[in-house]
Amino acid sequence: DVYKRQMNRRFSPERDPGLLVGMDGLIPFLELRAQDAPTAPQAILFGEYGTGKTHALRFVEHVLAPKRRMKPVFLTLSNFGARSTFSDVHVRVMNALDESLQHMLQKWPTADHAIDANGRLSQDMKRALKLLRNPKTAPKDRATARTWLMGIGPTPTQARNMGLAGRLFESAGPVELVNLWKGLGELWAT
C-alpha cells in the first residue's frame, strides 16, 4: 500500500530536485560553476521548449542556492512582447530581487564597505543602496531609493533632491543595468 501511494505521487522539481536530475551533464556543470566562481555565478540557460531549463533552474534554486548564498531570478520570456524594452526586463528583475535585497541590506553590518568597494556600481547606485540600507533613512526616502533602483520612479526633481543625478533610466543603459544586477550578485556572494 505504501509502495502504491509512492508510485502514484506526482514528482516536481520543487519538491524532489534530487530525483529528477540528469540532462546530459548540465547539473554537474552548474555545480562546478557554482563551486568555482569567485563571486556570484551568472549563467543564461537557453533552449527549446521542454528541454529542461526550468527543471535545471529549480535544481539550482532548491539545492545549489542554499549552499552558496545565491539568489536565483526567474523571468519567463513569454511575458514579454515585441514592444518590450530592456527597461521592462530590468523592472522584472528588480521586482524579483526587491524583498530579499532589502532584507540583505538591513541585516548586513558591513554592507556600506562592500557597496563602496564594488566597481560595477555607479555612484548613484551606491547612494541608493546605502539609503535603502541606512536605518535612519526616512520611510519616504527609502521608498524613493527603492523605486529609483527599480527604474519606476521617482520624478527627476525628487531624485536630484536625494543627491542622485536624475532618474535611473536617464543615466543607465542596458550595460549599466546589467552591471547593477552583477553588482548585486557580488554583494550577495560576499
Side-chain angles (χ1 to χ4, degrees):
D1 192 39
V2 171
Y3 176 76
K4 258 184 157 178
R5 279 197 312 257
Q6 287 178 340
M7 292 308 292
N8 288 331
R9 179 177 170 216
R10 291 186 177 234
F11 295 103
S12 73
E14 293 83 10
R15 224 181 21 250
D16 310 294
L19 298 176
L20 302 172
V21 174
M23 297 183 286
D24 299 327
L26 177 62
I27 297 301
F29 169 78
L30 292 172
E31 287 175 323
L32 282 173
R33 174 102 178 173
Q35 180 181 356
D36 293 342
T39 62
Q42 289 127 16
I44 295 174
L45 292 180
F46 179 79
E48 295 298 319
Y49 180 80
T51 57
K53 299 176 300 296
T54 300
H55 170 70
L57 292 173
R58 294 297 180 196
F59 177 81
V60 169
E61 177 183 28
H62 292 282
V63 176
L64 295 183
K67 294 178 190 175
R68 295 274 304 152
R69 291 184 50 193
M70 297 177 353
K71 172 65 178 158
V73 176
F74 300 100
L75 298 177
T76 305
L77 295 181
S78 61
N79 292 334
F80 297 97
R83 294 179 187 232
S84 295
T85 65
F86 201 83
S87 303
D88 298 326
V89 175
H90 174 74
V91 170
R92 293 273 177 92
V93 169
M94 293 306 290
N95 270 322
L97 294 175
D98 184 44
E99 186 177 324
S100 45
L101 172 63
Q102 290 188 56
H103 180 72
M104 177 204 46
L105 290 172
Q106 297 297 318
K107 302 293 181 193
W108 189 16
T110 58
D112 284 351
H113 176 70
I115 291 167
D116 285 334
N118 192 296
R120 294 188 189 274
L121 302 172
S122 71
Q123 290 304 312
D124 279 351
M125 291 172 186
K126 291 176 181 182
R127 175 147 178 72
L129 288 169
K130 287 181 179 182
L131 285 167
L132 270 181
R133 179 190 152 30
N134 189 339
K136 294 180 182 174
T137 301
K140 177 182 167 219
D141 291 340
R142 183 174 280 111
T144 302
R146 180 180 159 270
T147 59
W148 186 89
L149 284 165
M150 294 177 110
I152 57 174
T155 67
T157 302
Q158 289 171 320
R160 288 184 185 91
N161 287 342
M162 290 188 62
L164 303 168
R167 296 188 74 188
L168 175 66
F169 294 143
E170 290 175 354
S171 61
V175 171
E176 292 82 11
L177 296 176
V178 170
N179 279 335
L180 173 59
W181 306 340
K182 288 180 176 181
L184 293 175
E186 291 167 358
L187 292 175
W188 252 291
T190 56

